[in-house]
Amino acid sequence: AYYCLIHFYKRGMHDNGKSDETVETVKTSSVVAFKGAIEDSIDLAEPYRTVTQRYYTRFFKIDENRVQRNDLCLLVHSNRISIVCLAPSHPLITKVVNITAVNCEISAKVDRKSNKAVGKSKKGGQNLDSNSILCYLETDDCKYPISAISPAKLICMNKAVLADPNLARLKPDADGHIAILLPHLGQIEGCKKGLMTQDEYEAFIKKESDETL
């Protein structure tokens, strides 16, 4: 299985900016102690929430062409790591369309599969603007361009989706995410303002659905 979800922990540092093992500490203010069997700590009455539902905030980019409806979702973690995936209203999901391929060859000189990002700053990662194409999801009849949504560095394309393209529609916000990005510092907040929140998106889709009845 291929996964590329990333989480960071803040560690203690000296005043001079240097860190070592004697001062490195993982902050545990959010850890809740529980006495007893671990299975008893789970409230089975609550619906199960995935990792992305628990730790990522959802923002939506709505296609202005409401015939094509190439709607996308950007999942943003508090550490800025972001995940690009299909929105629930995307026709590949709503119409259960078979995805035949994920084409990462954007041009003769740009292939997203060749991206190599290393280190905390993701040095070597391909630079993207909000309209940069990450890949094309291809079907027998058409192809859908998947944009980066936010100015960012590309961390990785999801190898699981490259191997099994239909994961992108079957598990869009989990195993089927399309790519992981590191948005540029100082630009992600401005980007969010141009996107819909979860509540705004749900209201928009409901209104759109009601109008077509």
Side-chain angles (χ1 to χ4, degrees):
Y2 298 91
Y3 298 96
C4 200
L5 299 183
I6 301 173
H7 300 282
F8 296 106
Y9 296 94
K10 294 182 179 179
R11 297 184 179 274
M13 301 184 72
H14 287 304
D15 291 338
N16 61 9
K18 295 182 179 180
S19 64
D20 58 39
E21 293 182 358
T22 61
V23 295
E24 288 189 346
T25 56
V26 176
K27 292 188 176 180
T28 58
S29 59
S30 61
V31 175
V32 178
F34 182 86
K35 186 177 181 180
I38 190 169
E39 58 266 25
D40 295 334
S41 67
I42 302 173
D43 186 354
L44 298 179
E46 292 292 324
Y48 174 76
R49 296 198 302 158
T50 65
V51 170
T52 53
Q53 289 172 334
R54 282 179 285 170
Y55 299 114
Y56 290 76
T57 303
R58 296 161 186 260
F59 296 91
F60 296 86
K61 180 180 180 181
I62 299 298
D63 190 350
E64 293 181 359
N65 183 341
R66 299 317 291 159
V67 174
Q68 179 173 278
R69 295 175 182 245
N70 188 23
D71 301 338
L72 303 176
C73 179
L74 184 70
L75 307 175
V76 183
H77 193 276
S78 59
N79 60 18
R80 284 191 295 131
I81 294 294
S82 299
I83 299 171
V84 177
C85 61
L86 298 180
S89 53
H90 198 286
L92 290 174
I93 296 175
T94 59
K95 297 181 180 180
V96 194
V97 180
N98 182 53
I99 304 173
T100 57
V102 180
N103 184 358
C104 295
E105 296 181 7
I106 308 306
S107 69
K109 296 182 178 180
V110 178
D111 185 348
R112 303 300 184 199
K113 295 194 303 295
S114 66
N115 182 78
K116 295 185 183 297
V118 296
K120 185 177 180 180
S121 63
K122 304 308 170 190
K123 184 177 181 180
Q126 296 175 11
N127 282 308
L128 308 165
D129 61 37
S130 58
N131 294 316
S132 294
I133 303 301
L134 293 170
C135 65
Y136 295 94
L137 298 185
E138 300 182 349
T139 71
D140 289 333
D141 301 318
C142 62
K143 63 180 182 180
Y144 292 90
I146 306 301
S147 68
I149 307 178
S150 171
K153 278 191 176 182
L154 175 62
I155 296 178
C156 64
M157 301 299 293
N158 184 2
K159 292 181 180 179
V161 167
L162 299 183
D164 182 2
N166 281 296
L167 280 177
R169 65 175 177 81
L170 295 173
K171 299 180 178 181
D173 62 349
D175 299 13
H177 65 273
I178 295 167
I180 297 184
L181 319 175
L182 178 63
H184 295 314
L185 187 64
Q187 296 188 42
I188 184 63
E189 293 304 320
C191 174
K192 289 178 184 178
K193 293 178 182 179
L195 304 174
M196 287 188 181
T197 64
Q198 177 88 42
D199 289 344
E200 290 170 339
Y201 168 76
E202 290 176 352
F204 175 85
I205 295 301
K206 183 180 185 303
K207 180 181 178 182
E208 188 175 59
S209 177
D210 290 345
E211 289 175 349
T212 59
L213 294 177

